[in-house]
Amino acid sequence: MPRPHELGNSYRYSVRQVRACCARVESLLKQKKIGITDCELIYESAFLNAMSRFEGLLNLLLSEFVCGTASKHSGFFRLVQPRSREVFREVLTGGRAYIELMPYKDCVDVAKRFLNDGRPFSDVDNSDRQILAQAMLVRNAIAHRSDAALRTFRRKVIDVNLLPTHRQFPGTYLRRPYRAHPHATWNDLYLDTLEKVGAVLATSW
């Protein structure tokens, strides 16, 4: 099993791949080799990839913190001592193949069952947690594409209401700048936060 920092490095690489993909798509759009709809669909797919891999990282890190090498940091210790990783996965998932650890507050709640005060998951800054919560709403609007998910996206995600009504969709929103200097889009903000939180968690144990 890879160590936490190796898991973090792998996730960081995957996020950078997503960034590179979006940059290539923007270049193709500027050259008029693809249309705006194609561009936005690729943004949505790339964003889903980053979110899915992030939840996978949370699962792997939780397993490693509980079953791997003990932390040397004060206050960071496991509350259980599973006989094996297989036994822990069975307890964690209830026999299912996977446990959902997003929205992030769910991850913290689950971690508190196995780690002292849920640390290091519970130590993530509130500002980053808020961005992750927004990212999850965007993710749901892409993955489900239901009327309910889109209504929630339009009502609760910051600045979506600034888009024209007929353009209030995740792909359009992800490409929208959230700051001018230095220029950065909402997609940049979410990817930066996913990478940052993943790196912090992977190096904190």
Side-chain angles (χ1 to χ4, degrees):
M1 178 72 182
R3 295 186 177 185
H5 75 275
E6 294 172 330
L7 295 171
N9 288 340
S10 178
Y11 181 69
R12 182 182 298 113
Y13 176 72
S14 73
V15 172
R16 291 177 180 176
Q17 285 182 309
V18 169
R19 285 202 189 92
C21 173
C22 292
R24 288 194 296 272
V25 169
E26 289 291 347
S27 176
L28 291 172
L29 179 64
K30 186 177 293 186
Q31 298 172 51
K32 297 184 178 180
K33 292 184 177 180
I34 61 172
I36 188 67
T37 300
D38 297 326
C39 177
E40 292 174 356
L41 284 173
I42 294 172
Y43 261 80
E44 291 180 359
S45 296
F47 184 77
L48 273 184
N49 178 281
M51 290 293 290
S52 176
R53 287 175 179 265
F54 180 73
E55 188 168 14
L57 175 66
L58 297 180
N59 269 267
L60 291 171
L61 289 176
L62 178 59
S63 179
E64 188 61 21
F65 295 158
V66 175
C67 303
T69 304
S71 175
K72 297 179 181 179
H73 301 297
S74 176
F76 288 67
F77 56 87
R78 63 200 69 168
L79 302 176
V80 296
Q81 189 66 52
R83 287 177 298 180
S84 67
R85 294 179 189 275
E86 292 72 23
V87 170
F88 173 66
R89 293 301 299 177
E90 184 71 20
V91 172
L92 178 66
T93 65
R96 293 170 293 169
Y98 190 77
I99 184 172
E100 294 183 356
L101 293 180
M102 288 291 280
Y104 190 76
K105 61 181 180 59
D106 292 351
C107 177
V108 175
D109 290 341
V110 171
K112 287 181 178 179
R113 292 162 44 197
F114 304 103
L115 302 170
N116 178 49
D117 199 30
R119 302 179 75 183
F121 298 99
S122 58
D123 288 341
V124 170
D125 291 342
N126 283 332
S127 59
D128 289 331
R129 292 199 204 191
Q130 290 170 8
I131 294 171
L132 291 177
Q134 292 274 297
M136 194 63 185
L137 295 176
V138 179
R139 177 261 178 207
N140 289 344
I142 298 170
H144 304 307
R145 213 65 174 193
S146 65
D147 290 341
L150 285 171
R151 278 197 302 270
T152 301
F153 164 75
R154 290 163 179 160
R155 186 175 70 252
K156 293 187 176 182
V157 176
I158 297 172
D159 278 6
V160 171
N161 63 331
L162 299 180
L163 293 167
T165 303
H166 69 287
R167 299 283 290 152
Q168 292 181 1
F169 292 97
T172 310
Y173 170 75
L174 289 170
R175 296 181 63 243
R176 179 182 174 81
Y178 84 94
R179 73 179 181 206
H181 303 289
H183 179 272
T185 64
W186 286 105
N187 191 61
D188 294 327
L189 175 64
Y190 293 135
L191 293 181
D192 287 349
T193 303
L194 290 169
E195 182 177 357
K196 172 189 172 184
V197 172
V200 168
L201 290 174
T203 56
S204 60
W205 185 254

